[in-house]
């Protein structure tokens, strides 16, 4: 119960980053926002006491999958200039 | 093929930070049985440091650090280290990954177990690192630098 306020703040931030990642137009910005989402969910795991799960989420979710998404973007081209 | 970034800040920060990330990854692997972390997380951290160099600098410089052709063989070697230790204990009379049956002479049983866990986690870490780098190289489509 000590972390109650912290968890609420983290969950609100989690929701807002998820919505931003869905709504934003630039795909690179969406990928970076998804990385922020991963890191925040890692913080939520740590706040709930699952340190090992949070560690894995921070390393794989925020580190490696972001890089893989960036490479996937690197292979795409922009069709419209809006 | 990734060209070197035109920004000197990105190049400098990538080169500066990468060794520290590697030291932290080794710490996570070797400290895995005392605290959170372990082979998979440490290997992913090591892979992240290699990917940082591959993203910030150009591809030829990254080949000096970890060759593209090494990715799959080193990954196979890591998984073979894991499976080999597990099967070795199986052959020596125990169950799969029963570290007490490892043939280390002159050590207490607890030390043998700690050493077995360390070797298995090293194998997992090397396998994860090499496989993640190999996935990156295959996605980016580098030509082989031999």
């Amino acid at each position: 119960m000590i972390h109650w306020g912290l968890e609420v703040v983290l969950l609100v931030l989690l929701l807002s980053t998820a919505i931003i990642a869905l709504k934003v137009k630039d795909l690179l910005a969406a990928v970076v926002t998804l990385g922020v989402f991963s890191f925040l969910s890692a913080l939520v795991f740590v706040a709930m006491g699952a340190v090992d799960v949070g560690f894995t989420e921070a390393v794989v979710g925020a580190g490696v999958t972001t890089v893989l998404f960036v490479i996937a973007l690197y292979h795409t081209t922009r069709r419209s200039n809006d | 093929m990734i060209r070197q970034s035109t920004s000197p800040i990105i190049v400098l920060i990538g080169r500066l930070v990468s060794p520290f990330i590697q030291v932290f990854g080794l710490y996570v692997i070797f400290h895995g049985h005392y605290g959170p972390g372990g082979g998979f997380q440490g290997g992913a951290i090591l892979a992240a440091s290699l990917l940082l160099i591959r993203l910030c600098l150009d591809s030829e410089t990254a080949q000096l650090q970890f060759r593209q052709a090494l990715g799959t063989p080193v990954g196979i070697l890591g998984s073979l280290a894991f499976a080999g230790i597990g099967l070795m204990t199986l052959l020596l009379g125990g169950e799969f990954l029963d570290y007490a049956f490892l043939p280390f002479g002159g050590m207490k049983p607890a030390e043998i177990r700690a050493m077995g866990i360390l070797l298995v986690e090293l194998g997992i870490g090397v396998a994860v690192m090499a496989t993640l780098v190999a996935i990156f190289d295959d996605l980016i489509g580098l030509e082989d630098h031999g």
Side-chain angles (χ1 to χ4, degrees):
Chain A
M1 292 306 281
I2 307 165
H3 297 304
W4 191 81
L6 179 67
E7 280 180 21
V8 167
V9 170
L10 284 177
L11 286 173
V12 168
L13 281 174
L14 208 61
L15 267 179
S16 44
T17 49
I19 293 170
I20 290 171
L22 282 176
K23 292 289 178 191
V24 77
K25 212 56 171 156
D26 187 12
L27 286 179
L28 188 63
V31 167
V32 172
T33 321
L34 213 57
V36 175
F37 174 84
S38 271
F39 194 73
L40 284 173
S41 63
L43 288 183
V44 170
F45 289 142
V46 172
M48 287 177 171
V51 183
D52 228 342
V53 182
F55 204 154
T56 312
E57 176 69 31
V59 169
V60 177
V64 178
T65 51
T66 307
V67 172
L68 294 185
F69 275 133
V70 167
I71 306 162
L73 279 183
Y74 181 77
H75 284 297
T76 59
T77 50
R78 275 186 91 88
R79 206 162 38 179
S80 62
N81 310 315
D82 50 343
Chain B
M1 185 60 105
I2 293 182
R3 275 168 284 104
Q4 183 160 352
S5 171
T6 48
S7 163
I9 297 174
I10 290 179
V11 174
L12 183 68
I13 294 294
R15 291 173 55 184
L16 190 70
V17 165
S18 178
F20 291 101
I21 298 177
Q22 283 173 356
V23 170
F24 183 62
L26 287 177
Y27 164 76
V28 169
I29 289 180
F30 285 110
H31 206 256
H33 41 290
Y34 305 118
F40 181 79
Q41 287 95 333
I45 293 175
L46 285 178
S49 78
L50 295 180
L51 297 188
L52 185 68
I53 289 294
R54 266 152 213 261
L55 280 177
C56 295
L57 300 176
D58 57 334
S59 304
E60 278 84 17
T61 318
Q63 297 298 316
L64 298 176
Q65 196 182 26
F66 190 82
R67 236 169 233 296
Q68 186 195 357
L70 276 179
T72 315
V74 173
I76 292 172
L77 210 67
S79 10
L80 280 183
F82 173 77
I85 290 173
L87 289 177
M88 194 194 290
T89 59
L90 201 62
L91 287 178
L92 291 173
E95 292 172 0
F96 189 69
L97 288 181
D98 191 355
Y99 304 114
F101 289 90
L102 281 176
F104 295 134
M107 292 172 89
K108 290 198 279 289
E111 288 175 348
I112 292 179
R113 284 179 194 275
M115 190 61 74
I117 293 174
L118 186 63
L119 288 177
V120 163
E121 291 207 345
L122 267 178
I124 296 172
V126 166
V128 168
M129 178 196 78
T131 310
L132 285 175
V133 174
I135 290 173
F136 177 90
D137 283 340
D138 283 346
L139 278 178
I140 208 77
L142 297 176
E143 52 265 25
D144 208 326
H145 291 281

